[in-house]
């Protein structure tokens, strides 16, 4: 399943206005210059719908995944919008047509390069949420046991909606 012609068709279950699918896969090590990637056919997706896909890794997986959404011409229309988490891809469909989710490895391919792909397709209005992630972190270059240290971080919202609260609290667990 390493092309649009050989893509595995996802099997969906319905939940309200949304379609959901989960599939397991493995990104194998490349051989003879061939880089392995897995293509999954989403079927016909309507304008006004959103494709939201996420890769999760089972315990023991060594894969460092990249997830893309491509159109019928095999052109990338979405690479993860969150620069700190390559396991998510989202695309608001503008043109009805065939779309694909493609999983690639930026490391960890091989027999332990397993993943689970979860995909939801639904009305764009139902898939609006904040996606907060730390973009920078500043820590001291050294510290000794018992020292008080200052840690600073900046978070960005890579989602399609504002947070539903005006303030929140973070914590660091060492």
């Amino acid at each position: 399943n390493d092309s649009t012609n050989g893509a595995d068709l996802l099997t969906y279950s319905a939940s309200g206005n949304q379609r959901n699918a989960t599939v397991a896969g493995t990104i194998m090590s490349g051989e003879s210059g061939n880089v392995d990637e897995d293509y999954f056919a989403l079927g016909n997706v309507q304008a006004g719908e959103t494709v939201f896909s996420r890769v999760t890794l089972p315990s023991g997986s060594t894969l460092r995944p990249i997830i893309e959404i491509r159109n019928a011409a095999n052109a990338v229309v979405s690479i993860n919008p969150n620069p700190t988490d390559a396991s998510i891809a989202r695309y608001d469909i503008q043109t009805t047509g065939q779309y694909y989710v493609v999983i690639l490895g930026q490391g960890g391919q091989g027999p332990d390069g397993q993943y689970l792909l979860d995909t939801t397709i639904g009305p764009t209005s139902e898939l609006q949420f904040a996606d907060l992630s730390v973009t920078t972190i500043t820590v001291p270059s050294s510290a000794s046991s018992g020292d008080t240290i200052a840690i600073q971080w900046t978070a960005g919202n890579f989602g399609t909606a504002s947070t539903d609260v005006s303030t929140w609290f973070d914590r660091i667990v060492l």
Side-chain angles (χ1 to χ4, degrees):
N1 65 341
D2 61 354
S3 69
T4 56
N5 290 334
D8 294 332
L9 182 62
L10 292 181
T11 302
Y12 296 103
S13 61
S15 176
N17 293 326
Q18 298 178 359
R19 304 182 300 282
N20 302 297
T22 299
V23 64
T26 302
I27 299 295
M28 298 305 296
S29 297
E31 296 179 9
S32 302
N34 178 40
V35 176
D36 190 29
E37 65 273 336
D38 287 350
Y39 276 73
F40 296 95
L42 301 177
N44 196 46
V45 185
Q46 302 296 310
E49 290 186 307
T50 291
V51 175
F52 182 77
S53 292
R54 179 175 194 112
V55 172
T56 55
L57 304 177
S59 177
S61 177
T62 57
L63 185 64
R64 290 189 359 250
I66 297 174
I67 184 169
E68 300 175 338
I69 299 173
R70 299 184 185 198
N71 63 17
N74 203 24
V76 175
V77 295
S78 177
I79 298 177
N80 177 20
N82 182 333
T84 61
D85 184 357
S87 68
I88 299 169
R90 174 198 173 99
Y91 186 61
D92 298 336
I93 303 297
Q94 305 298 314
T95 305
T96 298
Q98 299 292 317
Y99 289 87
Y100 301 85
V101 172
V102 180
I103 310 299
L104 304 115
Q106 60 180 351
Q109 301 91 318
D112 293 327
Q114 296 99 10
Y115 63 88
L116 291 173
L117 170 65
D118 293 307
T119 296
T120 297
I121 300 173
T124 299
S125 62
E126 294 181 10
L127 292 171
Q128 302 294 318
F129 53 87
D131 180 10
L132 302 179
S133 188
V134 173
T135 57
T136 60
I137 189 165
T138 305
V139 298
S141 59
S142 65
S144 297
S145 179
D147 285 356
T148 299
I149 60 170
I151 300 174
Q152 296 178 314
W153 61 92
T154 304
N157 182 356
F158 301 96
T160 55
S162 299
T163 60
D164 57 358
V165 294
S166 59
T167 60
W168 61 88
F169 299 92
D170 296 317
R171 67 182 178 149
I172 298 173
V173 178
L174 299 176

